[in-house]
Amino acid sequence: MEAAMSDMARSIDTVWVLLAAALVFFMQAGFALVEAGFTRQKNTVNIMTKNLIDFSTGSLLFFAIGFGLMFGTDIGGVIGTPDLFFSNGWEGGIPGLAFLIFQTVFAATAATIVSGTMAERTEFKSYFFYSIAVTAIIYPVSGHWIWGGGWLSQLSTPFHDFAGSTVVHSVGGWVALMGAIALGPRIGKYNGKKVNAIPGQNMIYGALGVFILWLGWFGFNPGSQLAASGPDNASAIAHIFVTTNLAAAAGTFSALVTSWLRFGKPALSLALNGALAGLVAITAGCNVVSPAGAVVIGLLAGVLLVFSVTFFDHVLRIDDPVGAVSVHGINGAFGTLMVGLFATEGGLLYGGGFSLLWSQIIGVVAVAAWSMAAGYLLFKILKVTIGLRVSRRVEEEGLDIYEHGESAYN
């Protein structure tokens, strides 16, 4: 009877993780729609193709080499032992292949974050090689530090990132920042001191994409429990569902109100990104903060999103068509730091002292430094070898016809 119950629990856990992986996979559709909606119709095929390539090449490369570098036997706290084509498998509470596909969809998410920031001006061949580098090397290395038994997980107070505010989102956000700097702004974005808005083609696409991403996050965060059987796991999943949803709702509300107060109009585009900011920010601590704490984190994330977008656009003059650096990079780091304050066990505001907050600061800075350095080197190499940016004519007339030979609308 005991063996039968154990088998039943393992089966329930496996099905739950696979369902969560399917939800996270569906987030690719959300990213594609958000990016297409926030950019111009002449580049829609290019956007869709990049999102397709991110997942397909990401699946192959993470299976071939990335998984081993991330979860292989630790080498000096820095990297995992290479395990080509998952030959050594993985041992845990669920089948190794279930864990592989769950981690694969996370790796693809990190890669696809960059697509929107580099939209409308990037050579497709360069983006293809970028996508390979992120899922095969950049993401697995820093991921190993945190989830693979590396040095950040070995701190006296271990760094805490439950579902990937830093592991997934900040990595994608910081690499995106390096890509935007390497590319430069789109033609017509900045004229002298003037900052010109370049409206996206379809806010319906953008809104639908955010709803899909919100749905997918119910696999992203609760699925990271990696189990569903038994009362403890059931309670944990329910808790994570609630904190995830509350942070997203709070981020939407605060971004909408902040944009209304700053610009005189309640901006849908900023409210949508506010929802994503809340989701990204809560991802690190969704299992250890209270529902009330999740609301505070979401509210702060939405406000931070509005100011961050305008700071990058108007002060640094870095062109980010979809706001991915602010959503994923800035709010990924912010949410990770908030664990050190709002964790009900160990958080500074709950009497836990500075130890956890200090570990969070170390981890955020280390991953940011690695991601930006690796991203800078990658884009520098691509720029001087095969080229990074399309010609002026291609950019003005659209990447769809010149890069892909087809149009999204006929």
Side-chain angles (χ1 to χ4, degrees):
M1 179 64 71
E2 184 176 344
M5 293 297 291
S6 177
D7 290 343
M8 178 67 75
R10 182 177 171 87
S11 297
I12 292 171
D13 293 343
T14 301
V15 170
W16 164 241
V17 171
L18 293 176
L19 286 173
L23 284 171
V24 178
F25 164 73
F26 192 46
M27 290 173 71
Q28 293 290 327
F31 280 117
L33 284 169
V34 168
E35 292 165 25
F38 281 23
T39 54
R40 291 166 290 185
Q41 67 179 43
K42 63 184 179 181
N43 300 308
T44 305
V45 168
N46 181 259
I47 292 289
M48 294 298 172
T49 308
K50 287 193 297 182
N51 278 271
L52 180 64
I53 286 297
D54 280 332
F55 190 80
S56 57
T57 59
S59 294
L60 295 172
L61 269 296
F62 195 72
F63 166 67
I65 186 172
F67 184 90
L69 296 179
M70 190 164 177
F71 293 102
T73 303
D74 179 55
I75 302 176
V78 178
I79 197 169
T81 303
D83 177 23
L84 296 179
F85 304 105
F86 198 63
S87 56
N88 292 325
W90 178 84
E91 294 293 330
I94 57 176
L97 290 175
F99 186 70
L100 170 65
I101 190 61
F102 188 72
Q103 293 301 330
T104 296
V105 294
F106 273 53
T109 298
T112 205
I113 288 168
V114 183
S115 174
T117 298
M118 298 179 67
E120 302 200 292
R121 61 211 192 273
T122 306
E123 288 268 11
F124 181 74
K125 61 179 181 288
S126 294
Y127 189 84
F128 180 81
F129 284 108
Y130 145 79
S131 186
I132 291 173
V134 168
T135 48
I137 301 172
I138 296 175
Y139 170 77
V141 169
S142 53
H144 176 78
W145 301 348
I146 301 164
W147 289 347
W151 68 276
L152 284 173
S153 67
Q154 298 171 18
L155 296 175
S156 56
T157 300
F159 178 81
H160 184 91
D161 185 1
F162 181 72
S165 288
T166 287
V167 174
V168 179
H169 296 281
S170 277
V171 168
W174 299 137
V175 174
L177 176 60
M178 293 298 100
I181 293 172
L183 275 172
R186 291 168 291 174
I187 296 170
K189 177 63 178 175
Y190 303 111
N191 292 325
K193 294 183 178 180
K194 185 179 180 182
V195 179
N196 298 312
I198 301 179
Q201 61 165 312
N202 193 323
M203 291 304 295
I204 297 174
Y205 288 175
L208 179 58
V210 168
F211 279 119
I212 290 173
L213 288 169
W214 197 327
L215 171 66
W217 240 283
F218 293 134
F220 205 99
N221 287 358
S224 294
Q225 182 72 12
L226 297 177
S229 60
D232 290 342
N233 287 320
S235 296
I237 291 172
H239 179 88
I240 295 167
F241 258 90
V242 170
T243 56
T244 298
N245 188 64
L246 287 174
T252 305
F253 176 78
S254 62
L256 185 73
V257 172
T258 303
S259 69
W260 202 341
L261 294 174
R262 285 201 73 192
F263 310 119
K265 300 288 184 182
L268 174 60
S269 60
L270 289 172
L272 292 171
N273 267 341
L276 298 181
L279 288 163
V280 169
I282 198 59
T283 295
C286 56
N287 67 322
V288 295
V289 304
S290 69
V295 171
V296 175
I297 291 171
L299 289 172
L300 294 174
V303 174
L304 178 61
L305 178 280
V306 176
F307 284 94
S308 178
V309 166
T310 53
F311 178 75
F312 279 108
D313 199 15
H314 292 264
V315 179
L316 298 183
R317 298 169 77 86
I318 294 173
D319 186 14
D320 181 0
V322 302
V325 175
S326 297
V327 169
H328 300 278
I330 298 299
N331 273 288
F334 167 75
T336 305
L337 295 175
M338 289 301 98
V339 174
L341 296 178
F342 288 95
T344 55
E345 294 184 13
L348 180 63
L349 298 180
Y350 288 81
F354 285 94
S355 179
L356 178 57
L357 179 59
W358 180 240
S359 294
Q360 299 303 98
I361 293 171
I362 292 172
V364 165
V365 172
V367 172
W370 159 251
S371 303
M372 286 192 281
Y376 174 82
L377 181 61
L378 171 62
F379 292 124
K380 191 74 171 178
I381 292 171
L382 291 174
K383 195 171 185 177
V384 301
T385 53
I386 62 176
L388 189 60
R389 183 164 182 153
V390 298
S391 69
R392 184 180 185 91
R393 179 179 179 180
V394 172
E395 183 176 345
E396 289 178 337
E397 297 186 21
L399 278 67
D400 288 0
I401 296 298
Y402 284 93
E403 290 272 274
H404 305 280
E406 52 192 344
S407 174
Y409 306 95
N410 297 295

